[in-house]
Amino acid sequence: MVAPWTSSPLLVLVVVAMLALQGYAGATPGKRVAGVAIVRADTRRPAGFLAAVLRVVAHLLDAILLIGYLRPLWHAERRTVADSVVGTVAVQTREPPPHPWFARFRHPPSAARSTVVSVAAGLVCALGIGFSTSYTSSGGSALVLDARCTFDAPGPGVAPTAVSVTLEESWSTQTRLWVTRDEPQEPDPVDARWEWFDPRPGNQRVRLEATITDRQGGDPFTVVQDPAERADTWTGEQVPSDTARVPGDVVERYPDGWSLTTRMLVDGAEVASCTTTDVGPAA
Protein backbone atom coordinates (compact mmCIF):
# COMPACT_ATOMS: atom_id res chain seq x y z
CA MET A 1 0.00 0.00 0.00
CA VAL A 2 1.37 3.40 -0.99
CA ALA A 3 1.47 5.95 1.85
CA PRO A 4 -0.30 9.28 1.15
CA TRP A 5 1.94 12.32 0.73
CA THR A 6 0.36 13.84 3.84
CA SER A 7 2.05 11.12 5.91
CA SER A 8 5.41 12.87 5.43
CA PRO A 9 5.77 16.09 7.47
CA LEU A 10 8.70 17.16 5.28
CA LEU A 11 6.69 16.76 2.09
CA VAL A 12 3.76 18.66 3.60
CA LEU A 13 6.18 21.47 4.54
CA VAL A 14 7.58 21.58 0.99
CA VAL A 15 4.08 21.78 -0.52
CA VAL A 16 3.08 24.60 1.85
CA ALA A 17 6.33 26.45 1.07
CA MET A 18 5.72 26.18 -2.70
CA LEU A 19 2.17 27.48 -2.29
CA ALA A 20 3.43 30.36 -0.15
CA LEU A 21 6.04 31.30 -2.77
CA GLN A 22 3.39 31.08 -5.48
CA GLY A 23 0.97 33.21 -3.48
CA TYR A 24 3.27 35.91 -2.09
CA ALA A 25 6.21 36.01 -4.53
CA GLY A 26 4.24 35.14 -7.63
CA ALA A 27 6.34 32.14 -8.62
CA THR A 28 7.71 28.81 -7.45
CA PRO A 29 11.43 28.15 -8.17
CA GLY A 30 10.48 26.47 -11.45
CA LYS A 31 8.38 29.43 -12.60
CA ARG A 32 11.17 31.78 -11.54
CA VAL A 33 13.63 29.94 -13.78
CA ALA A 34 11.11 29.96 -16.64
CA GLY A 35 10.44 33.66 -16.16
CA VAL A 36 6.73 33.22 -15.41
CA ALA A 37 4.72 34.71 -12.56
CA ILE A 38 1.12 34.13 -11.49
CA VAL A 39 -0.60 37.39 -10.51
CA ARG A 40 -4.08 38.75 -10.02
CA ALA A 41 -5.68 39.68 -13.31
CA ASP A 42 -6.85 43.08 -11.99
CA THR A 43 -3.87 44.31 -9.94
CA ARG A 44 -1.04 42.33 -11.58
CA ARG A 45 0.27 41.56 -8.05
CA PRO A 46 0.73 38.11 -6.42
CA ALA A 47 -2.68 36.77 -5.45
CA GLY A 48 -1.90 35.40 -1.98
CA PHE A 49 -1.74 31.98 -0.34
CA LEU A 50 -5.45 31.18 -0.46
CA ALA A 51 -5.67 31.97 -4.16
CA ALA A 52 -2.63 29.75 -4.79
CA VAL A 53 -4.37 26.86 -3.01
CA LEU A 54 -7.65 27.44 -4.87
CA ARG A 55 -5.80 27.59 -8.17
CA VAL A 56 -4.29 24.15 -7.53
CA VAL A 57 -7.72 22.76 -6.70
CA ALA A 58 -9.27 24.43 -9.76
CA HIS A 59 -6.67 22.71 -11.95
CA LEU A 60 -8.85 19.62 -11.54
CA LEU A 61 -11.18 21.30 -14.03
CA ASP A 62 -8.25 21.91 -16.38
CA ALA A 63 -7.42 18.21 -16.25
CA ILE A 64 -10.78 17.18 -17.74
CA LEU A 65 -9.73 16.02 -21.21
CA LEU A 66 -6.88 18.58 -20.85
CA ILE A 67 -9.21 21.23 -22.27
CA GLY A 68 -8.35 23.70 -19.51
CA TYR A 69 -4.63 23.33 -20.09
CA LEU A 70 -5.10 23.80 -23.85
CA ARG A 71 -7.29 26.90 -23.38
CA PRO A 72 -4.32 29.34 -23.36
CA LEU A 73 -3.79 28.48 -27.04
CA TRP A 74 -6.88 30.47 -27.98
CA HIS A 75 -7.60 32.65 -24.94
CA ALA A 76 -6.64 36.32 -25.37
CA GLU A 77 -4.84 36.46 -21.99
CA ARG A 78 -3.55 32.86 -22.18
CA ARG A 79 -5.58 31.90 -19.10
CA THR A 80 -6.47 28.38 -18.08
CA VAL A 81 -9.89 27.58 -16.64
CA ALA A 82 -8.32 27.63 -13.16
CA ASP A 83 -7.00 31.15 -13.80
CA SER A 84 -10.47 32.36 -14.80
CA VAL A 85 -12.06 30.73 -11.75
CA VAL A 86 -9.55 32.21 -9.29
CA GLY A 87 -8.99 35.50 -11.11
CA THR A 88 -5.30 35.05 -11.92
CA VAL A 89 -3.19 35.26 -15.04
CA ALA A 90 0.30 34.07 -16.00
CA VAL A 91 2.67 36.84 -17.11
CA GLN A 92 6.21 36.79 -18.48
CA THR A 93 8.35 38.35 -15.74
CA ARG A 94 10.80 37.44 -13.01
CA GLU A 95 10.07 40.57 -10.99
CA PRO A 96 6.32 41.02 -10.47
CA PRO A 97 5.14 43.85 -8.22
CA PRO A 98 5.20 42.81 -4.56
CA HIS A 99 2.21 41.45 -2.72
CA PRO A 100 0.56 44.26 -0.69
CA TRP A 101 1.66 42.63 2.58
CA PHE A 102 5.32 42.81 1.60
CA ALA A 103 5.41 45.99 -0.47
CA ARG A 104 7.22 47.99 2.25
CA PHE A 105 10.03 45.42 2.35
CA ARG A 106 10.64 45.52 -1.40
CA HIS A 107 14.07 46.77 -2.42
CA PRO A 108 14.66 48.75 -5.60
CA PRO A 109 15.15 46.48 -8.62
CA SER A 110 18.72 45.13 -8.90
CA ALA A 111 20.00 43.03 -11.78
CA ALA A 112 22.61 41.39 -9.55
CA ARG A 113 20.09 40.45 -6.86
CA SER A 114 17.64 39.16 -9.48
CA THR A 115 20.38 37.00 -10.99
CA VAL A 116 21.29 35.55 -7.59
CA VAL A 117 17.65 34.70 -6.86
CA SER A 118 17.24 33.09 -10.28
CA VAL A 119 20.41 31.01 -9.84
CA ALA A 120 19.24 29.90 -6.39
CA ALA A 121 15.87 28.95 -7.87
CA GLY A 122 17.69 26.94 -10.54
CA LEU A 123 19.65 25.05 -7.89
CA VAL A 124 16.43 24.27 -6.02
CA CYS A 125 14.93 22.91 -9.25
CA ALA A 126 18.04 20.80 -9.88
CA LEU A 127 17.81 19.34 -6.38
CA GLY A 128 14.12 18.65 -6.88
CA ILE A 129 14.84 16.76 -10.11
CA GLY A 130 17.58 14.82 -8.34
CA PHE A 131 15.32 13.78 -5.48
CA SER A 132 12.51 12.85 -7.85
CA THR A 133 14.85 10.45 -9.66
CA SER A 134 15.51 7.35 -7.61
CA TYR A 135 17.62 4.23 -7.99
CA THR A 136 16.39 1.01 -6.41
CA SER A 137 18.57 -1.99 -5.71
CA SER A 138 17.44 -5.27 -4.22
CA GLY A 139 18.67 -8.76 -3.55
CA GLY A 140 18.24 -11.79 -1.39
CA SER A 141 19.78 -14.98 -0.12
CA ALA A 142 18.88 -18.20 1.63
CA LEU A 143 20.51 -18.95 4.98
CA VAL A 144 20.77 -22.71 5.56
CA LEU A 145 19.95 -23.47 9.18
CA ASP A 146 21.43 -26.32 11.20
CA ALA A 147 18.85 -29.03 11.83
CA ARG A 148 18.74 -32.35 13.70
CA CYS A 149 16.42 -34.90 12.21
CA THR A 150 15.08 -38.26 13.41
CA PHE A 151 13.81 -40.71 10.83
CA ASP A 152 11.70 -43.65 11.98
CA ALA A 153 11.75 -46.87 10.01
CA PRO A 154 8.45 -46.85 8.10
CA GLY A 155 8.91 -50.35 6.69
CA PRO A 156 8.27 -50.79 2.96
CA GLY A 157 6.29 -47.58 2.72
CA VAL A 158 7.29 -43.92 2.41
CA ALA A 159 10.83 -43.26 3.61
CA PRO A 160 12.16 -39.71 4.23
CA THR A 161 15.66 -39.19 2.84
CA ALA A 162 16.69 -35.58 3.52
CA VAL A 163 15.57 -32.33 5.13
CA SER A 164 16.95 -28.80 4.67
CA VAL A 165 15.77 -25.73 6.57
CA THR A 166 16.39 -22.29 5.07
CA LEU A 167 15.54 -18.75 6.06
CA GLU A 168 14.91 -16.50 3.08
CA GLU A 169 16.47 -13.07 3.41
CA SER A 170 15.64 -10.18 1.09
CA TRP A 171 16.50 -6.49 1.02
CA SER A 172 15.81 -3.42 -1.07
CA THR A 173 17.21 0.11 -0.91
CA GLN A 174 16.24 3.32 -2.66
CA THR A 175 18.78 6.06 -3.40
CA ARG A 176 17.94 9.67 -4.22
CA LEU A 177 21.02 11.81 -4.80
CA TRP A 178 23.20 11.07 -1.75
CA VAL A 179 20.37 9.79 0.44
CA THR A 180 19.89 6.01 0.71
CA ARG A 181 17.14 4.37 2.71
CA ASP A 182 15.88 0.84 3.26
CA GLU A 183 12.62 -0.01 1.57
CA PRO A 184 9.94 -1.87 3.57
CA GLN A 185 9.95 -5.59 2.84
CA GLU A 186 7.57 -8.42 3.50
CA PRO A 187 8.76 -10.49 6.49
CA ASP A 188 11.00 -13.36 5.39
CA PRO A 189 9.58 -16.91 5.72
CA VAL A 190 11.30 -20.09 6.89
CA ASP A 191 11.16 -23.14 4.63
CA ALA A 192 11.69 -26.77 5.63
CA ARG A 193 12.15 -28.80 2.45
CA TRP A 194 11.67 -32.56 2.74
CA GLU A 195 12.60 -35.29 0.28
CA TRP A 196 11.40 -38.84 0.45
CA PHE A 197 11.15 -42.14 -1.38
CA ASP A 198 7.77 -43.71 -2.03
CA PRO A 199 7.74 -47.05 -3.83
CA ARG A 200 4.04 -47.72 -3.34
CA PRO A 201 1.44 -47.03 -6.04
CA GLY A 202 -1.31 -46.53 -3.46
CA ASN A 203 -3.12 -43.36 -2.38
CA GLN A 204 -1.35 -42.72 0.93
CA ARG A 205 -1.18 -39.13 2.12
CA VAL A 206 2.07 -37.36 2.98
CA ARG A 207 1.70 -34.26 5.15
CA LEU A 208 4.22 -31.89 6.67
CA GLU A 209 3.50 -29.91 9.83
CA ALA A 210 5.63 -27.09 11.20
CA THR A 211 5.73 -25.70 14.76
CA ILE A 212 7.72 -22.60 15.65
CA THR A 213 8.40 -21.56 19.26
CA ASP A 214 10.66 -19.19 21.14
CA ARG A 215 13.95 -20.48 22.53
CA GLN A 216 12.42 -21.37 25.87
CA GLY A 217 9.79 -23.52 24.21
CA GLY A 218 6.88 -21.20 24.99
CA ASP A 219 4.30 -19.51 22.80
CA PRO A 220 4.21 -22.17 20.06
CA PHE A 221 2.62 -21.62 16.68
CA THR A 222 1.79 -24.67 14.60
CA VAL A 223 1.13 -24.48 10.88
CA VAL A 224 -1.61 -27.07 10.37
CA GLN A 225 -3.54 -27.06 7.13
CA ASP A 226 -6.66 -28.72 5.85
CA PRO A 227 -5.53 -31.40 3.34
CA ALA A 228 -8.49 -30.42 1.15
CA GLU A 229 -6.89 -27.01 0.50
CA ARG A 230 -3.83 -27.81 -1.58
CA ALA A 231 -2.56 -24.23 -1.51
CA ASP A 232 -2.28 -24.36 2.28
CA THR A 233 -1.20 -27.94 2.93
CA TRP A 234 1.62 -30.33 2.19
CA THR A 235 0.17 -33.61 1.03
CA GLY A 236 0.95 -35.73 -1.93
CA GLU A 237 0.76 -39.10 -3.60
CA GLN A 238 4.14 -40.45 -4.71
CA VAL A 239 5.57 -36.90 -4.49
CA PRO A 240 9.39 -36.93 -4.12
CA SER A 241 9.60 -33.62 -2.21
CA ASP A 242 7.60 -30.80 -0.65
CA THR A 243 8.12 -27.74 1.54
CA ALA A 244 6.66 -26.69 4.87
CA ARG A 245 6.68 -22.90 5.00
CA VAL A 246 6.23 -20.75 8.09
CA PRO A 247 5.11 -17.28 6.90
CA GLY A 248 7.32 -14.32 7.67
CA ASP A 249 4.65 -12.54 9.71
CA VAL A 250 4.68 -15.55 12.04
CA VAL A 251 8.49 -15.67 12.23
CA GLU A 252 8.70 -12.02 13.27
CA ARG A 253 6.64 -12.80 16.37
CA TYR A 254 9.83 -14.25 17.87
CA PRO A 255 12.40 -11.42 17.67
CA ASP A 256 14.49 -12.87 20.53
CA GLY A 257 15.17 -16.17 18.80
CA TRP A 258 13.13 -19.20 17.85
CA SER A 259 13.30 -22.88 16.98
CA LEU A 260 11.39 -24.78 14.34
CA THR A 261 10.20 -28.37 14.37
CA THR A 262 8.69 -30.02 11.31
CA ARG A 263 7.08 -33.42 11.19
CA MET A 264 6.35 -35.77 8.32
CA LEU A 265 3.15 -37.77 8.57
CA VAL A 266 2.15 -40.61 6.26
CA ASP A 267 -1.53 -41.54 6.38
CA GLY A 268 -1.72 -39.60 9.66
CA ALA A 269 1.18 -41.43 11.37
CA GLU A 270 4.41 -39.56 12.15
CA VAL A 271 7.46 -41.14 10.49
CA ALA A 272 10.05 -38.39 11.00
CA SER A 273 10.72 -35.08 12.73
CA CYS A 274 13.34 -32.39 12.33
CA THR A 275 14.25 -29.53 14.69
CA THR A 276 16.51 -26.56 14.04
CA THR A 277 19.15 -25.90 16.70
CA ASP A 278 20.30 -22.66 18.28
CA VAL A 279 18.43 -20.29 15.99
CA GLY A 280 19.37 -16.68 16.65
CA PRO A 281 17.18 -13.58 16.33
CA ALA A 282 14.93 -13.70 13.31
CA ALA A 283 16.21 -11.67 10.33
Side-chain angles (χ1 to χ4, degrees):
M1 181 178 179
V2 179
W5 65 271
T6 52
S7 64
S8 170
L10 178 60
L11 187 54
V12 171
L13 179 62
V14 169
V15 171
V16 172
M18 292 301 103
L19 290 172
L21 284 173
Q22 177 78 75
Y24 298 120
T28 60
K31 288 186 175 67
R32 174 77 188 200
V33 172
V36 176
I38 305 299
V39 296
R40 289 183 57 88
D42 52 356
T43 65
R44 288 303 196 262
R45 293 179 179 272
F49 183 82
L50 180 59
V53 173
L54 294 177
R55 187 172 184 270
V56 171
V57 175
H59 273 317
L60 295 174
L61 300 175
D62 290 329
I64 299 175
L65 301 179
L66 298 181
I67 296 299
Y69 288 116
L70 296 175
R71 186 171 179 246
L73 296 176
W74 63 79
H75 192 274
E77 292 185 299
R78 304 291 188 264
R79 298 169 76 181
T80 64
V81 171
D83 285 320
S84 294
V85 170
V86 181
T88 56
V89 63
V91 296
Q92 289 286 337
T93 180
R94 287 192 175 91
E95 297 291 341
H99 185 275
W101 289 4
F102 303 99
R104 59 177 176 171
F105 303 110
R106 184 66 174 264
H107 297 284
S110 168
R113 184 170 54 251
S114 179
T115 300
V116 170
V117 173
S118 296
V119 170
L123 292 176
V124 171
C125 292
L127 288 174
I129 294 173
F131 273 106
S132 65
T133 304
S134 64
Y135 170 74
T136 301
S137 58
S138 60
S141 62
L143 175 65
V144 180
L145 304 177
D146 184 24
R148 296 178 180 177
C149 305
T150 301
F151 297 159
D152 295 336
V158 177
T161 58
V163 185
S164 62
V165 182
T166 58
L167 170 63
E168 295 185 4
E169 298 180 316
S170 59
W171 56 269
S172 178
T173 61
Q174 185 180 83
T175 302
R176 298 174 184 269
L177 290 182
W178 60 85
V179 179
T180 299
R181 69 172 184 173
D182 294 329
E183 290 288 282
Q185 297 291 303
E186 292 294 328
D188 299 312
V190 176
D191 290 333
R193 181 175 177 81
W194 288 65
E195 297 179 357
W196 62 83
F197 174 70
D198 186 355
R200 300 183 298 176
N203 59 356
Q204 62 277 358
R205 283 188 178 275
V206 175
R207 187 178 70 193
L208 305 180
E209 293 183 354
T211 300
I212 186 171
T213 67
D214 60 26
R215 287 190 184 185
Q216 288 71 39
D219 192 22
F221 183 93
T222 302
V223 182
V224 179
Q225 286 78 20
D226 180 356
E229 299 179 4
R230 184 64 187 88
D232 295 324
T233 189
W234 306 292
T235 64
E237 179 180 342
Q238 294 181 314
V239 178
S241 65
D242 212 338
T243 301
R245 164 164 287 192
V246 179
D249 59 344
V250 174
V251 177
E252 69 176 1
R253 299 179 190 178
Y254 306 90
D256 297 325
W258 45 264
S259 64
L260 175 70
T261 298
T262 56
R263 302 190 305 150
M264 180 177 178
L265 298 93
V266 178
D267 293 332
E270 180 178 331
V271 299
S273 65
C274 195
T275 301
T276 56
T277 59
D278 194 26
V279 177

